[in-house]
Amino acid sequence: QVQLVESGGGLVQAGGSLRLSCVASGFTGFTFSDYGMGWFRQVSGKEREFVSGIHWDGGNAKSVDSVKGRFTISRDNAKNVVYLQMNNLKPEDTAVYYCAARFGGGWSAEVDDYDYWGQGTQVTVSS
């Protein structure tokens, strides 16, 4: 069973930065490189929304318009880790952030396309 563990969340002032990490483990017969990875976020009472995705080889990375130019997704397949570097944070970025793994190598913006999820890490941006 694949397990994903996020870390790096916290409280930060507007304009500040955080780097989220998601460590993957528990692969059987496959490797981290067999999975596209995504970052999503969710505010209480709202649907989980896509933030950024990255293909198995680190290519075709994409972020939603609201975070473009501020957030960068990357991965280190040797360490089984995917990162989300978040700069110039805004109060509207406040949410629980989740990483997700999708078998097959490509990312998707759809929640239902992912096979495994982490437990989430809280990001709070104060004004």
Side-chain angles (χ1 to χ4, degrees):
Q1 181 78 358
V2 175
Q3 293 184 323
L4 304 174
V5 179
E6 302 99 333
S7 62
L11 174 64
V12 64
Q13 289 187 331
S17 298
L18 286 173
R19 188 176 80 156
L20 305 184
S21 299
C22 172
V23 179
S25 63
F27 299 102
T28 303
F30 299 101
T31 70
F32 185 59
S33 298
D34 290 306
Y35 291 83
M37 299 298 295
W39 283 98
F40 290 74
R41 64 187 180 187
Q42 188 170 23
V43 175
S44 181
K46 295 188 176 181
E47 291 188 352
R48 194 168 296 187
E49 65 171 3
F50 172 77
V51 176
S52 296
I54 190 167
H55 276 4
W56 70 275
D57 60 353
N60 199 26
K62 184 176 180 179
S63 297
V64 294
D65 288 345
S66 60
V67 306
K68 277 183 180 177
R70 301 188 298 121
F71 290 14
T72 303
I73 187 172
S74 62
R75 64 190 293 163
D76 185 339
N77 288 346
K79 296 181 179 180
N80 289 2
V81 180
V82 61
Y83 303 100
L84 186 67
Q85 177 67 45
M86 305 186 296
N87 299 327
N88 191 21
L89 283 159
K90 303 176 180 181
E92 52 263 43
D93 294 319
T94 295
V96 177
Y97 283 72
Y98 298 89
C99 71
R102 179 174 186 244
F103 183 73
W107 62 266
S108 168
E110 301 299 322
V111 169
D112 291 343
D113 286 344
Y114 285 83
D115 302 292
Y116 301 101
W117 292 84
Q119 82 290 347
T121 185
Q122 176 71 48
V123 171
T124 303
V125 185
S126 64
S127 57

